[in-house]
Amino acid sequence: MAIKYPNGHLPLYNEVRKKQLKKATTRTTFSNRGMRFEEAINQSNDYYLNRNIAVIHKKPTPIQIVKVDYPKRSAAVIKEAYFKEASTTDYNGVYRGYYLDFEAKETKNKTSFPLKNLHEHQINHMRQCIEHKGICFILLWFSSLNRCFLIDSPFIIEAWEKQATEKKSLTLNQIEEIGIEITVGIAPRIPFIEAVNQLIELKEKKKYVK
Amino acid sequence: MAIKYPNGHLPLYNEVRKKQLKKATTRTTFSNRGMRFEEAINQSNDYYLNRNIAVIHKKPTPIQIVKVDYPKRSAAVIKEAYFKEASTTDYNGVYRGYYLDFEAKETKNKTSFPLKNLHEHQINHMRQCIEHKGICFILLWFSSLNRCFLIDSPFIIEAWEKQATEKKSLTLNQIEEIGIEITVGIAPRIPFIEAVNQLIELKEKKKYVK
């Protein structure tokens, strides 16, 4: 089941976007300093945690352990293990009493975000979280454009369901319309909590969350 | 900082407890069928997820990967890795718009729960989650008694802070008073969401959560 916004949401997003575009002209980059997007998110989470703003952690990579050695007088050593596919998104936590859940994605593409970067079970997980009134989104980094967006999961789910082919995607134009642009900074590097505040404000107006 | 309940909470808990004790006389066990407590929790989470009641997942075990082989035509094999200490609790998720966060603990002890089963950073994590209005608790299994309790984290934190020695613990008597007893069942095996409902009701009355 897709959770869709009434058409009435667009003006508010556009209002927000205009302000962002002004700010975005002064944006800094981290890609040219060789920093990966995920590391920037992790540092931002540390920033929010240390300042008591939000409690968000990256989940450990799921691993299937096959063989473990227990040498005497030293720590157990995993000798054979395999990477498993994650069944949920990478990040979750709590902020202002809200359950936050998100995935960080990076694309070199300049004109669209191909949804093949997501898995069916991640889409399902987002559906479940939204149904239980979690705040669920994707943080998307266009590495070739140095632009970062928060996209509310209902838009992702809608695009996923509408497009039957393997070429599912959201164009940059669509993302500019539905997403909230985040101006990359220094501390925190990805100040996504500001965008989450906008999202919560919008959802509270529309009564999508308690 | 310890978050403490006013003394006024006790009557409500005692009311609840009386009902539980009645039910508890018919309780089933899983320990004698060789099932571990954690597995019972995981199955309960699956039950809640499949019935669209709550979205709770166990976090993967944190592992430090040292060496990975990439054989041709087959999956990457982790050849050397070590277990890391978890920096948070094991379980979190979303229920009725609330952020849930908990740890599952098992003790063979018949008269108390030694707090050495918890780590300082887990206590810190609980403090942080509570401060951001998450619902945070421990599910405790007395394996020798076949009794299961939900203990709200503020009580754990208070005990942790009060007791400076290494012999920190909560006695069974204390747990009977502050905890919510859970009658172990078949489906779900650990019906802890009922106890969470009681906890939310209590917190809403006391305005500890929104």
Side-chain angles (χ1 to χ4, degrees):
Chain A
M1 186 202 67
I3 292 157
K4 286 165 194 162
Y5 291 132
N7 293 327
H9 73 271
L10 286 176
L12 209 157
Y13 268 99
N14 285 339
E15 274 299 302
V16 166
R17 209 200 130 203
K18 271 181 212 160
K19 285 185 203 159
Q20 288 162 350
L21 285 177
K22 271 192 195 166
K23 280 168 91 184
T25 52
T26 57
R27 69 174 162 261
T28 56
T29 69
F30 48 79
S31 62
N32 50 7
R33 275 176 277 147
M35 169 169 280
R36 289 176 55 233
F37 185 52
E38 198 181 284
E39 289 166 0
I41 303 277
N42 295 344
Q43 287 189 4
S44 305
N45 287 338
D46 287 346
Y47 175 95
Y48 289 132
L49 186 67
N50 293 336
R51 277 153 193 82
N52 199 22
I53 293 167
V55 184
I56 301 162
H57 290 274
K58 185 177 190 299
K59 291 182 194 170
T61 309
I63 281 164
Q64 180 70 49
I65 297 169
V66 176
K67 194 180 155 201
V68 183
D69 271 10
Y70 298 93
K72 277 180 189 168
R73 276 185 287 272
S74 64
V77 190
I78 298 161
K79 286 291 194 182
E80 186 185 349
Y82 299 89
F83 294 100
K84 283 199 293 187
E85 209 172 68
S87 56
T88 64
T89 46
D90 270 354
Y91 297 89
N92 73 0
V94 61
Y95 171 63
R96 287 171 48 188
Y98 291 102
Y99 172 77
L100 297 194
D101 193 296
F102 62 95
E103 186 72 20
K105 289 291 176 193
E106 194 170 346
T107 182
K108 288 181 183 172
N109 202 306
K110 292 178 184 179
T111 55
S112 73
F113 171 53
L115 296 187
K116 69 176 179 199
N117 283 306
L118 295 164
H119 303 291
E120 178 80 40
H121 52 252
Q122 289 180 318
I123 299 287
N124 283 337
H125 176 69
M126 287 179 194
R127 279 196 195 98
Q128 291 162 346
C129 289
I130 293 166
E131 210 156 326
H132 292 275
K133 299 187 181 173
I135 307 279
C136 206
F137 53 89
I138 281 180
L139 291 179
L140 178 58
W141 174 245
F142 282 100
S143 58
S144 307
L145 305 172
N146 280 336
R147 292 180 72 181
C148 181
F149 291 91
L150 179 151
I151 309 175
D152 196 14
S153 290
F155 293 113
I156 304 283
I157 294 167
E158 194 183 342
W160 183 277
E161 286 171 349
K162 269 191 182 167
Q163 300 171 32
T165 66
E166 283 188 5
K167 293 188 179 176
K168 295 171 199 284
S169 73
L170 283 169
T171 65
L172 179 59
N173 282 346
Q174 286 175 310
I175 291 167
E176 286 177 330
E177 194 169 296
I178 61 175
I180 300 176
E181 187 154 8
I182 296 166
T183 307
V184 171
I186 301 296
R189 289 183 180 272
I190 317 287
F192 65 88
I193 283 291
E194 293 171 26
V196 171
N197 283 335
Q198 292 174 22
L199 202 58
I200 290 173
E201 202 183 319
L202 184 69
K203 282 171 185 282
E204 280 176 346
K205 274 185 187 158
K206 303 278 178 194
K207 301 201 172 163
Y208 288 110
V209 289
K210 66 176 173 295
Chain B
M1 187 200 69
I3 291 155
K4 286 165 193 163
Y5 291 133
N7 293 326
H9 74 272
L10 285 175
L12 209 159
Y13 268 99
N14 285 339
E15 273 301 301
V16 166
R17 208 200 133 204
K18 270 182 210 159
K19 285 185 201 158
Q20 289 162 348
L21 285 176
K22 270 192 193 168
K23 279 167 90 184
T25 52
T26 57
R27 67 173 165 260
T28 56
T29 69
F30 48 78
S31 60
N32 49 6
R33 276 176 277 147
M35 168 168 282
R36 289 175 56 231
F37 185 52
E38 198 180 284
E39 289 166 0
I41 303 277
N42 294 344
Q43 288 189 4
S44 306
N45 287 337
D46 288 346
Y47 175 95
Y48 290 131
L49 187 66
N50 293 336
R51 276 154 194 82
N52 199 21
I53 293 167
V55 184
I56 301 162
H57 291 273
K58 184 178 190 300
K59 291 183 195 170
T61 309
I63 282 165
Q64 181 70 50
I65 297 170
V66 175
K67 193 181 155 203
V68 184
D69 272 9
Y70 297 93
K72 278 180 188 169
R73 276 183 287 272
S74 64
V77 190
I78 297 160
K79 286 291 195 183
E80 186 185 350
Y82 298 89
F83 294 101
K84 283 198 294 186
E85 209 172 69
S87 56
T88 65
T89 46
D90 270 355
Y91 296 90
N92 73 359
V94 60
Y95 171 62
R96 287 172 49 189
Y98 290 103
Y99 173 78
L100 296 194
D101 194 297
F102 63 95
E103 185 72 19
K105 289 291 175 194
E106 195 170 346
T107 181
K108 287 180 183 170
N109 203 305
K110 291 178 184 180
T111 55
S112 74
F113 170 54
L115 297 186
K116 68 175 178 197
N117 283 306
L118 295 165
H119 303 291
E120 178 80 40
H121 52 252
Q122 289 180 318
I123 299 285
N124 283 337
H125 176 68
M126 286 178 195
R127 278 196 197 100
Q128 292 162 345
C129 290
I130 292 165
E131 210 156 324
H132 292 275
K133 300 187 180 174
I135 307 279
C136 205
F137 53 88
I138 281 181
L139 291 179
L140 178 59
W141 175 243
F142 282 100
S143 59
S144 307
L145 306 172
N146 280 336
R147 292 180 73 181
C148 182
F149 291 90
L150 178 150
I151 309 174
D152 196 14
S153 290
F155 293 113
I156 304 283
I157 294 167
E158 194 183 342
W160 183 276
E161 286 171 349
K162 269 190 181 167
Q163 300 171 33
T165 66
E166 283 189 8
K167 291 188 179 177
K168 296 171 198 281
S169 73
L170 283 168
T171 65
L172 179 59
N173 283 346
Q174 286 175 309
I175 291 168
E176 285 177 331
E177 194 171 294
I178 62 176
I180 301 177
E181 187 154 8
I182 297 167
T183 308
V184 170
I186 301 294
R189 290 181 180 273
I190 317 287
F192 65 88
I193 284 291
E194 293 171 26
V196 171
N197 283 335
Q198 292 172 23
L199 201 57
I200 290 173
E201 201 182 321
L202 183 68
K203 281 170 186 282
E204 280 176 346
K205 273 184 190 160
K206 304 277 178 195
K207 301 202 175 163
Y208 288 110
V209 290
K210 65 175 174 293

